[in-house]
Amino acid sequence: MSATDELRADHIQVRRLEKIVFKCAEELKNGEDIPFSDLTKITIVISEFVDTIHHSREEDSYFPCVASHDSLKDEIHKFLVEHEFGRNVAKKIHHHLKRWKAGEDARESVSRYLKTYAVFLNDHLNKENKFFDDAEEKVLSEQEEIDMYEQYRSIFAVVKKVEDMIKEIDYLESCPWYQK
Ligand SMILES: [Fe+2]
Ligand SMILES: [Fe+2]
């Protein structure tokens, strides 16, 4: 395995999340009931998997390593801006979900920001997948790939957390509102 493959593996899970988020936004828009507990799970997977684990892997090691070769710097800058955008949208989802749980009618706001988040994920994943191909083929050395991969796998708590997050994604896909 290499760092690039590990990030691609993350993307496969994030893609599943994207589809869940999109479906959830649509169902809410159509007036369907989705338990608050499922909506909360979605916000947890976004915060703990996408932001805390996956974006950190990119921001703290992968992007700096590619940039250290003086390569693909414009792309990296755009991705960092997009990560920030994603975090802001996630905050909005969290904020409106909290209002909704407190009794205000925030269904439309939650639905709208979920939709925005799904569109962001789709666009971001497409661009980064292409970037990974370029970085792997033209920039990173085999040793750098191995070193970063080992670094990703070295923290047991993070590896365990990813497994837990995948279970949450499995659960969300099994929900009746997602299945129909
Ligand atoms: Fe990213
Ligand atoms: Fe990514």
Side-chain angles (χ1 to χ4, degrees), residues 125-141:
L125 291 174
N126 288 345
K127 286 191 267 186
E128 270 184 354
N129 284 342
K130 204 181 154 300
F131 171 87
F132 289 161
D133 293 344
D134 290 343
E136 180 183 58
E137 203 183 301
K138 300 173 197 152
V139 183
L140 296 173
S141 72

Side-chain angles (χ1 to χ4, degrees), residues 103-153:
E104 289 180 57
D105 182 13
R107 168 189 287 268
E108 197 274 331
S109 302
V110 170
S111 167
R112 188 157 37 89
Y113 283 109
L114 283 170
K115 174 90 182 286
T116 304
Y117 199 78
V119 171
F120 149 72
L121 281 183
N122 178 44
D123 177 63
H124 187 69
L125 291 174
N126 288 345
K127 286 191 267 186
E128 270 184 354
N129 284 342
K130 204 181 154 300
F131 171 87
F132 289 161
D133 293 344
D134 290 343
E136 180 183 58
E137 203 183 301
K138 300 173 197 152
V139 183
L140 296 173
S141 72
E142 214 168 298
Q143 194 56 49
E144 285 169 330
E145 288 272 24
I146 293 167
D147 289 348
M148 277 191 285
Y149 172 73
E150 282 175 358
Q151 185 198 326
Y152 291 159
R153 305 293 298 186

Side-chain angles (χ1 to χ4, degrees), residues 79-90 116-117 120:
F79 292 151
L80 294 176
V81 171
E82 288 176 15
H83 285 183
E84 206 46 43
F85 174 79
R87 286 188 179 108
N88 286 333
V89 177
T116 304
Y117 199 78
F120 149 72

Side-chain angles (χ1 to χ4, degrees), residues 56-114:
S56 299
R57 283 175 168 173
E58 292 175 342
E59 290 174 7
D60 300 342
S61 52
Y62 196 85
F63 291 162
C65 188
V66 173
S68 73
H69 292 265
D70 228 9
S71 283
L72 305 170
K73 285 187 168 174
D74 289 349
E75 285 88 339
I76 290 169
H77 177 71
K78 281 182 206 148
F79 292 151
L80 294 176
V81 171
E82 288 176 15
H83 285 183
E84 206 46 43
F85 174 79
R87 286 188 179 108
N88 286 333
V89 177
K91 268 187 219 153
K92 296 278 188 195
I93 298 168
H94 187 78
H95 168 72
H96 290 293
L97 182 58
K98 211 167 134 192
R99 282 180 50 227
W100 196 7
K101 284 180 185 170
E104 289 180 57
D105 182 13
R107 168 189 287 268
E108 197 274 331
S109 302
V110 170
S111 167
R112 188 157 37 89
Y113 283 109
L114 283 170

Side-chain angles (χ1 to χ4, degrees), residues 10 13-18 20-21 37-55 90 93-94 117 121 161-173:
D10 285 353
Q13 303 306 329
V14 180
R15 191 66 91 180
R16 293 172 71 197
L17 177 69
E18 175 208 317
I20 291 165
V21 172
S37 56
D38 291 352
L39 296 171
T40 303
K41 266 187 204 300
I42 290 176
T43 63
I44 290 171
V45 178
I46 290 174
S47 149
E48 298 190 1
F49 181 52
V50 181
D51 278 333
T52 308
I53 298 179
H54 179 66
H55 286 171
I93 298 168
H94 187 78
Y117 199 78
L121 281 183
K161 188 65 153 180
V162 172
E163 283 170 12
D164 292 345
M165 291 293 110
I166 293 172
K167 280 186 201 137
E168 297 289 36
I169 293 171
D170 291 341
Y171 163 80
L172 288 164
E173 280 181 346

